[in-house]
Amino acid sequence: MSSIEWNEKTFSKFAYLDDPQIKGGRVAYVLTKANMKDNRYENTVVVEDIEIGARRFIENASMPRFSPDGRKLAFMMPNEEKKTSEIWVADVETLSAKRVLEAKNVRFIQWNDDSRRLLVVGFKRRDDEDFIFEDDVPVWFDNMGFFDGEKTTFWVLDTESEEILEEFEKPRFSSGIWHGNAIVVNVPYREGSKPAFFKFTDIYLWRDGEEEKLFEKVSFQAVDSDGKTILLRGKPEKKKLSEHDFLYLYDGELKAINEHLGRNTGQAKLDGGRVYFTLYEAGSINLYLWDGEVEPITVGEHWIMGFDTDGGRVAMLIETATRLRELYIYDGELKQLTDYNGPLFERLRTFEPRHFRFKSLDLEIDGWYIRPELKEDEKAPVIVFVHGGPKGMYGHYFKYEMQLMANKGYYIVFVNPRGSNGYSEEFALRVLERTGLEDFLDIMNGIEAFFRLEPQADRERVGITGISYGGFMTNWALTQSELFKAGISENGISYWLTSYAFSDIGLWFDKEVIGDDPLNNENYRKLSPLFYVENVKAPILLIHSLEDYRCPLDQSVMFYHALRDLGKEAYIAIFRRGAHGHSIRGSPKHRAKRYKLFMEFFERKLKKYEEGFDVEKILKGLE
């Protein structure tokens, strides 16, 4: 009998692939495994020879980058004792390697066309052991911590002499890429006293200590270059951050590539004058090629989770609703190169979501549901999932909690309400300053459409859950409807005013989603679940991370305190470590405990009808 089954630790058995890179007949990528015993993730750079099928490994490494001549591989290794990052360069044939740089904070490396110099982008802070000082906003950022006067650092590293040839600094959130022997630098544009992060950018060409401004106050950034032409992603000018990103080529003149497609662009790469890019499309992420005209490369019910190109050959990671991402090669036809998780999925049942379309107010909306294994006439409870965002997207990718709970006998329902990614820009903007209104009705109308399709779904046992915007919507749903008999809200918003003033992105995101003039705008109270807590009748579990600076901890603590003050059944689990994405990036033991809490709360509230939530009993044996 197989020891592999769906539970809170199943995630640790999977292999996770990331950051594919291709050069000639070789592909490199990062393979990550969760080590439950040591409570850590172990990264290995894998180098595959496509032609002969040979596979070589560099342990404790990440960020692989082939040199343009294909002879070298640069990669990162952490020095855990010194808490620094090391850059190494290996001979591709032998993988014999040398360390070429040790630095405290490195975020990006890229080879120059000479296959000798590396552009290294990192950052530096004051790092006073006693206090943090700031004269800019925000003071912190999710997964980065306190800025403490952060500056972006740029180094040109000669990998032969192992010396820094050039260095310069720019404001935080700057980035850069090689453009021939120059560097194209993206710098956040400032509007008065504060930077216009992610909305407007100044773009410079830096060469030998001299700067030339290419663009001022534009809404795109340079993402790739072939030395002659720069690939830009974004828009010439955005009025709203939630607008879509498109692609443009710049060689002295600006040329639009894919505006006409009307969908949001993801990753993009230049290769031989052609542009490869991913597109968010109604629950899928597909890969396209522009070569004067746009043509599809891989279009289907999947998500392209990263890709790289070289000479018309593409290495990509493809994930579906029932299979985690694996490595594929496209060179005229699509071939699967890895199957790390295949043997596991042969022993684990997965359920293919069923797609449905429904009318909600003035729109047609996409929805999906997973039907568990049921006996004839057996009723099953329902869990409604709400994605993050609001410009997130559900669809054809692997969602661990959904498969876990479907295997426990629950219907799973999820929809893409207005505001979601993958549709027209107008669709994405409809949620602005109306968050919780029509988008909530889209979700409720989707649930009703689902009930019409599945008579075995039990209307009396419906739960709701979500993270971030999904957490906000869970809080909101329990204050606005009595349909839900249990809720798990993760990292959600309960009071938009404190989110505006406390969140790392509140000064611009909340002002767009909820409205300008937060101190006087009635939306900040009207659209906040906190002011409707007296309506809550269902038990709720709030899960939050102490280090979440995107939707800070005050959001769940306020909601919890107000609920308990009114005698409501509410529980809160605060994880001591982990940023906003702690649900998938927390330590292995952290994640196992979270999955256990998630699973057991719905089991007790939608199946066993138990009062209370004995966390010590539930988590016994998980230490």
Side-chain angles (χ1 to χ4, degrees), residues 215-252:
F215 296 98
E216 182 176 6
K217 196 182 179 182
V218 290
S219 298
F220 45 57
Q221 293 195 359
V223 296
D224 203 6
S225 166
D226 61 8
K228 299 178 181 178
T229 304
I230 300 171
L231 179 62
L232 303 160
R233 177 179 177 270
K235 266 187 169 181
E237 183 179 6
K238 286 186 177 182
K239 292 182 174 60
K240 299 289 185 181
L241 281 165
S242 300
E243 293 175 26
H244 285 350
D245 289 324
F246 303 119
L247 296 174
Y248 306 84
L249 291 176
Y250 178 74
D251 59 2

Side-chain angles (χ1 to χ4, degrees), residues 1-5 347:
M1 184 175 180
S2 174
S3 60
I4 300 172
E5 61 180 1
R347 292 165 171 79

